Amino acid sequence: MKNKLTLTVVLLGYLALPMSMSGTTVALPQIGAALNASGGPLQWVVTGYFLTASSFMLVAGSTGDLFGRRRIYRIGAATYALGGLVAALAPSVLLLDVARTVTGVGAAGVMAGGGAILASTFTGSERTKAFAAMGTIAGVGMAIGPTLAGWLVGALGWRATFGVFAATGALLLAGTLAMGESRAERRERVDWTGAVSFIAGLASIMFAITQSSRAGWTSPLVLGLLAAGAGLLLVFARAERRSPNPVLDLALLRNRWFAGWLLAGVVMVLGFGGMMSYLPTYLQGANAMSARDSGLVMLMATAPTLALPILTSRLVNRGVSPRLLITGGLLLIAVGNAWLTRLHPGIGGWELLGPLLTVGFGIGLATGLIDAQAMNQVDRSRTGMAAGLLNTVRGGSQTLVMALFGSVLITLLTGQVGGERAGRIATGELAGAEQAAQLTQAWQIVLWGIAALTALGALAVATLLTPSRDAVPTSPAVPATA
């Protein structure tokens, strides 16, 4: 019974917290009007949350291994609730930005702590089922999250919506009473050098990526931030090699099974991250679809994730190779992107059913499977570190893919219409059939590129996960299931 309550609380966090980002994006016009804000200060309401959430994931997970995973989850939930409450009451955009940035730190504790708690609470087939349930909930959030968050903002207003997020954090905090505590057997000193250099380095790179669409990849700001981030991450790598208790044990990355599942997460995001974010704007611009209808079309890609993770867990527990499933899933995503190149102005929703369902089936096979199998390669004392790393890599990959997708679209269009107009066309502001055709051609080139890279990534994952007689998994207590 206690394990079921633990699972329920963790799943609630994975459902609710991502909505805090999508809901805030929908609320920006309301917030700007109410607080007389625009530009960078207004955008930071979203950017601040995402930067801290992504940057603190790994550190939150590793700290949980030392001081207790439930404790980190509890601190994260409390911080999230407090940030949401301050955001709901904020009288100025400056205080709102600070509140949202703090809320992101809390989200990092909940997300990294939640994955680690599942890994330390469940073993064997039960672990596979738990992570499959997590994948299903993530699919639900992906399918209805933006719509539900938009409804909350429209029905209740942005302040009440932040209040709902705060109440969710309080509910998660209360739910920790049902959890058991777990930590590594030995309690070492915190690796402060590694923690600070990683947070600062990753935050610099993430901020550079988020600014690239506005300032350009070659701007002094973006180049300076990228250089600073790279330098700090080099400091982090050197510190981790010398630290007796590193934030990230680099030996973990030398485990090719774990590296294979980590790469699978990156390839999965590569295959759908940009397409899922930008396709609605194409449909609204080139097809004159309403926002509601384009959202319904996107359900074709997300609906399979509501059921497939559970089915995948049952197949794994019955002896089907996870390596075969993940390779098949990633190849389906590649095929779906290639199929989607039939995109053209005026294309109907039913014509998109085949390619979007194919992508959705691929995502459904991969979601949930990746975390469970990656955790099977990690010693129980490092589950927090592994969970934090998985979430960090996924979040960073999502940011990079979204930025690159838009940047490549704009670059392809610039050669035809010039830089000033290219950005507007890429986001669906079209003036006539000729521009719709130009946008479509750029989309087709990008989709072929994504399909090729995803297929190559699937083959690389399959190679890394190939069973080997002379290699042993990190955790001898948990056999490798690659």
Side-chain angles (χ1 to χ4, degrees):
M1 183 62 179
K2 190 173 184 180
N3 285 358
K4 290 183 178 180
L5 288 173
T6 297
L7 178 61
T8 300
V9 174
V10 171
L11 294 183
L12 176 61
Y14 270 85
L15 174 65
L17 266 63
M19 288 177 55
S20 184
M21 183 182 296
S22 58
T24 305
T25 302
V26 173
L28 286 182
Q30 281 191 20
I31 295 172
L35 301 181
N36 192 27
S38 62
L42 182 61
Q43 189 59 42
W44 193 260
V45 176
V46 174
T47 303
Y49 176 92
F50 183 80
L51 282 179
T52 50
S54 299
S55 302
F56 277 80
M57 288 281 189
L58 176 60
V59 175
S62 295
T63 306
D65 289 336
L66 297 180
F67 298 106
R69 294 154 191 134
R70 184 184 66 174
R71 177 177 294 178
I72 292 299
Y73 189 97
R74 182 173 286 172
I75 293 172
T79 304
Y80 183 86
L82 178 62
L85 180 60
V86 174
L89 302 174
S92 67
V93 71
L94 177 60
L95 183 58
L96 178 59
D97 288 343
V98 172
R100 290 290 296 165
T101 302
V102 171
T103 303
V105 177
V110 171
M111 299 294 282
I117 287 169
L118 290 188
S120 59
T121 301
F122 299 95
T123 58
S125 63
E126 293 302 314
R127 175 187 284 183
T128 303
K129 292 177 183 178
F131 277 101
M134 188 183 80
T136 299
I137 288 297
V140 172
M142 186 188 302
I144 68 170
T147 302
L148 183 56
W151 177 84
L152 283 173
V153 172
L156 305 177
W158 67 272
R159 291 190 184 277
T161 300
F162 283 135
V164 171
F165 295 151
T168 301
L171 187 59
L172 296 175
L173 179 61
T176 60
L177 297 174
M179 298 178 179
E181 184 60 283
S182 65
R183 60 171 62 89
E185 293 183 4
R186 294 181 58 186
R187 182 168 171 174
E188 306 285 354
R189 295 179 61 185
V190 177
D191 174 20
W192 289 111
T193 301
V196 172
S197 59
F198 181 82
I199 291 170
L202 188 60
S204 294
I205 291 175
M206 291 289 145
F207 188 52
I209 293 172
T210 60
Q211 295 300 301
S212 63
S213 60
R214 179 183 63 83
W217 285 99
T218 58
S219 70
L221 172 65
V222 171
L223 291 176
L225 287 168
L226 288 174
L232 286 164
L233 291 181
L234 285 175
V235 171
F236 168 74
R238 292 189 64 180
E240 300 314 274
R241 284 196 293 267
R242 298 176 180 179
S243 174
N245 187 55
V247 170
L248 173 61
D249 186 352
L250 299 180
L252 191 62
L253 300 178
R254 292 194 290 271
N255 177 342
R256 66 183 180 86
W257 285 302
F258 183 82
W261 289 109
L262 201 65
L263 178 62
V266 174
V267 175
M268 181 182 71
V269 171
L270 168 66
F272 80 86
M275 180 273 289
M276 293 286 287
S277 299
Y278 283 89
L279 186 57
T281 62
Y282 174 90
L283 295 176
Q284 291 173 52
N287 279 28
M289 276 191 184
S290 67
R292 180 184 67 87
D293 288 344
S294 63
L296 290 174
V297 168
M298 298 311 296
L299 286 176
M300 298 174 183
T302 55
T305 63
L306 305 182
L308 275 179
I310 297 296
L311 174 61
T312 302
S313 73
R314 291 177 179 174
L315 292 174
V316 170
N317 288 336
R318 292 180 180 180
V320 177
S321 166
R323 174 176 175 263
L324 177 64
L325 291 172
I326 191 62
T327 303
L330 296 178
L331 288 175
L332 281 174
I333 296 174
V335 170
N337 277 279
W339 193 352
L340 193 58
T341 58
R342 67 183 298 182
L343 204 65
H344 60 82
I347 190 171
W350 289 111
E351 295 178 78
L352 294 169
L353 181 62
L356 291 182
L357 272 182
T358 302
V359 171
F361 272 95
I363 298 171
L365 285 174
T367 304
L369 180 67
I370 291 173
D371 291 72
Q373 298 304 314
M375 290 296 185
N376 282 350
Q377 314 305 324
V378 180
D379 186 87
R380 289 177 67 89
S381 65
R382 297 190 183 276
T383 54
M385 179 189 296
L389 181 59
L390 285 165
N391 281 289
T392 298
V393 168
R394 269 196 294 260
S397 299
Q398 180 71 30
T399 304
L400 183 60
V401 166
M402 288 178 62
L404 287 176
F405 195 102
S407 180
V408 172
L409 276 181
I410 292 172
T411 300
L412 291 171
L413 289 165
T414 298
Q416 303 180 64
V417 300
E420 183 177 348
R421 186 60 186 155
R424 295 180 181 179
I425 295 176
T427 54
E429 294 184 27
L430 307 179
E434 182 180 356
Q435 290 186 354
Q438 291 167 337
L439 177 59
T440 300
Q441 184 181 27
W443 258 89
Q444 289 169 344
I445 293 172
V446 173
L447 288 170
W448 277 120
I450 291 174
L453 290 173
T454 306
L456 290 173
L459 296 178
V461 169
T463 300
L464 286 170
L465 297 181
T466 301
S468 175
R469 293 181 180 180
D470 57 352
V472 293
T474 299
S475 175
V478 183
T481 55

